[in-house]
Amino acid sequence: MDNGTAKRQLRREVSLWKKHYQDETLQEFSAKIHARIERSPLFRDAARITCYHALPGEVQTSAFLEKWYGRKQIFLPAVDGEQLKFYPYRGKNNLKTGAFGIMEPAADEETSTCNIDLAIIPGIAFDRRLNRLGRGKGFYDRFLAPFCKPVMGLCFHFQLVDAVPVDEHDRKMTQIITERETIG
């Protein structure tokens, strides 16, 4: 099976696995993941962080963003064509619906990715070799290609698989955090 087919199949499998969990359970798992993030030296040492505003079924980040945006500089991505641009997060009342229904900052002060100390990103699946499978549009792949700072992937434990099919452009995570463990 080629990598493209294997990736599509894994995305379908994980989507089915998520249906076994109620939203309340995923919220509880997300809170445990937030606590693990906060204990990570990567997070503690970073002053400027890019995170994401979660879609349903992803590790939820809204409470985490609200807790930390006054203490650290947090930037959220916005889709601009085929690229991600990053804007300061200034609270839940300063968000708008962007591409793919993802909430993004209404701000227009883009920050350079050179100013980011840590990237916290979602994924469909991860493995213990720190590989990540995204949604397949390549937005994070393009962002991460030149990015040389630590990258933290967030997922629920059931999204941790034996092996993620990877291509040469796929970037390994520095660390992966689930509700049960920190890898890397």
Side-chain angles (χ1 to χ4, degrees), residues 63-96:
F64 179 79
L65 293 170
E66 283 301 299
K67 179 178 180 179
W68 285 99
Y69 86 94
R71 301 188 226 177
K72 293 183 180 269
Q73 286 184 293
I74 296 182
F75 303 92
L76 296 184
V79 173
D80 183 23
E82 295 294 311
Q83 303 298 318
L84 293 178
K85 291 189 174 181
F86 295 88
Y87 299 94
Y89 177 73
R90 295 197 174 105
K92 61 186 173 188
N93 295 326
N94 192 27
L95 294 173
K96 64 178 182 174

Side-chain angles (χ1 to χ4, degrees), residues 12 20 33 38 57 69 88 90 95 139 157-158 165 168 174 178:
R12 282 192 298 272
H20 295 286
I33 291 168
E38 292 167 356
Y69 86 94
R90 295 197 174 105
L95 294 173
F139 289 104
H157 192 74
F158 64 82
E168 62 185 54
T174 310
T178 78

Side-chain angles (χ1 to χ4, degrees), residues 101-122:
I102 301 170
M103 300 304 289
E104 58 188 41
D108 58 0
E109 303 165 26
E110 179 185 358
T111 192
S112 166
T113 56
C114 296
N115 295 327
I116 295 171
D117 302 321
L118 171 67
I120 300 176
I121 66 172

